[in-house]
Amino acid sequence: MNKDDIIKKYSKSPYTFPTYEIINHFNEEDISQYCTWLNNNYIPITKHWDMRINTYWTAKFYLATKFLLFSNHLIWAYEYSKTKNLKITIPYLIYYALLTASRSLILTSPLDNKNISTKRSHENIINSTADIIARVNKEKSNYYKEIITIAKDNRELFSYKFPASGLKLINDNSADIFQQVEFVAELAILNSQVLDVLLSKIKDKSCFNIDENLEQDFYQLYDYNGKIDNEDYYNVNYISRKIKRPFPLNMMMSEGMEEDFYLNWAPETEDTNDLFIPPENTFC
């Protein structure tokens, strides 16, 4: 049985996606245990699924998808900064790549029931992510926490103290961090696949609509302190009309949405020589 088949065996999803780090971190028993835990905690939610719940989870999945896009974007920015000797940005990019992916995992967790607009502290994000991983493997959970804590300490060193020796004092754990980014991102997509399987079994499809009375859930996705982001507004309305419910994260956005995301961060000049070029394939 190949690696993809092992994931599909327990997720029951007809869809595949790259799962290199899940396989590296978990054995088959771990994967079975994790998918069982997801099912056991999603079932009580899907049992009472209605338009209100559908609206809330669809909004969360859009936000989770964006976090994965930006996490990958941060990794590419790190690679560019490294080649261009933009050392001052490196601790920031390394830390936030994993923190952002971690937020996606939390949003897709069946245990998350916070309001879309809830602001989480970094400590809360780290601890919540570690708790999710610990549901399967305590050792891997401790390793995640150790790795992101080192990155956090490195970032804070260059946010508050700025040592005169530059990056010489930090423990460069970028390789470990980026493996963890992939791992956490894969878990978030796996979460979304397991929920999708359960939703596909619901016979009454009328619940798969956006409740207009709960527009506030979606409003939070494109309002930034009173400023409306037109791209988010378009995406949210497209999802409301066309997608209508949570799907696996790598299927939540159309190709056009991903292309727009790329173009908004691409150079504004045709002469792109020596300029940062964001990834066109934006998923981790």
Side-chain angles (χ1 to χ4, degrees):
M1 182 180 295
N2 64 40
K3 295 179 179 181
D4 287 340
D5 288 338
I6 292 174
I7 300 294
K8 292 179 70 174
K9 176 181 177 180
Y10 298 106
S11 71
K12 310 296 184 183
S13 175
Y15 308 113
T16 59
F17 68 99
T19 54
Y20 310 115
E21 293 303 325
I22 288 181
I23 297 298
N24 288 337
H25 283 73
F26 290 163
N27 57 35
E28 184 170 351
E29 182 180 351
D30 288 336
I31 295 169
S32 172
Q33 181 179 330
Y34 186 70
C35 289
T36 298
W37 174 76
L38 288 172
N39 267 290
N40 290 343
N41 285 276
Y42 272 136
I43 285 174
I45 300 172
T46 58
K47 184 177 181 180
H48 302 286
W49 200 268
D50 56 18
M51 286 178 62
R52 177 184 61 82
I53 298 173
N54 185 70
T55 301
Y56 170 67
W57 278 91
T58 303
K60 288 211 304 174
F61 270 40
Y62 172 69
L63 190 56
T65 301
K66 278 211 307 179
F67 286 154
L68 291 192
L69 299 180
F70 273 103
S71 181
N72 198 35
H73 192 85
L74 288 165
I75 293 175
W76 278 67
Y78 160 81
E79 297 291 350
Y80 176 83
S81 296
K82 195 172 180 181
T83 61
K84 298 302 178 183
N85 197 41
L86 289 170
K87 294 179 181 179
I88 193 64
T89 68
I90 286 176
Y92 171 92
L93 296 168
I94 290 173
Y95 172 61
Y96 277 97
L98 182 50
L99 190 77
T100 304
S102 298
R103 295 175 71 187
S104 181
L105 179 60
I106 294 169
L107 283 167
T108 58
S109 165
L111 302 185
D112 179 64
N113 57 6
K114 293 184 182 296
N115 188 281
I116 297 295
S117 61
T118 298
K119 294 183 179 180
R120 303 174 186 268
S121 67
H122 289 208
E123 182 179 5
N124 176 269
I125 294 169
I126 292 169
N127 289 335
S128 297
T129 302
D131 287 345
I132 293 170
I133 300 171
R135 300 283 173 171
V136 184
N137 191 305
K138 184 66 175 177
E139 181 182 344
K140 300 301 182 184
S141 172
N142 290 338
Y143 181 68
Y144 160 85
K145 202 164 184 178
E146 174 188 342
I147 292 299
I148 196 170
T149 299
I150 292 172
K152 182 173 183 288
D153 290 343
N154 290 343
R155 191 272 300 176
E156 290 180 350
L157 195 62
F158 291 92
S159 296
Y160 307 111
K161 292 187 175 182
F162 295 100
S165 60
L167 300 181
K168 293 177 183 177
L169 291 184
I170 74 170
N171 179 357
D172 182 7
N173 66 339
S174 54
D176 295 326
I177 279 286
F178 297 145
Q179 282 187 334
Q180 288 293 304
V181 171
E182 293 282 353
F183 173 53
V184 170
E186 289 172 15
L187 284 181
I189 296 174
L190 178 57
N191 287 0
S192 64
Q193 283 194 337
V194 172
L195 177 59
D196 173 65
V197 170
L198 292 172
L199 293 179
S200 68
K201 297 178 181 179
I202 296 178
K203 294 182 179 179
D204 183 3
K205 306 303 181 184
S206 64
C207 63
F208 297 138
N209 282 293
I210 302 304
D211 190 339
E212 294 181 359
N213 295 321
L214 294 175
E215 185 181 355
Q216 186 68 15
D217 279 343
F218 268 28
Y219 184 74
Q220 298 292 340
L221 298 177
Y222 52 77
D223 173 67
Y224 296 87
N225 296 322
K227 297 180 180 179
I228 303 301
D229 185 278
N230 290 329
E231 295 288 345
D232 278 321
Y233 180 81
Y234 171 83
N235 293 344
V236 166
N237 277 275
Y238 177 89
I239 289 172
S240 299
R241 292 181 289 104
K242 300 293 185 180
I243 297 180
K244 298 185 177 181
R245 74 162 177 87
F247 276 92
L249 298 187
N250 52 334
M251 300 171 60
M252 281 296 292
M253 288 190 177
S254 67
E255 290 185 11
M257 290 183 192
E258 287 194 53
E259 183 179 352
D260 288 341
F261 178 87
Y262 160 76
L263 290 174
N264 287 328
W265 293 96
E268 297 179 2
T269 175
E270 292 184 2
D271 182 11
T272 60
N273 184 40
D274 212 35
L275 296 179
F276 170 66
I277 306 296
E280 292 190 54
N281 182 12
T282 45
F283 269 101
C284 297

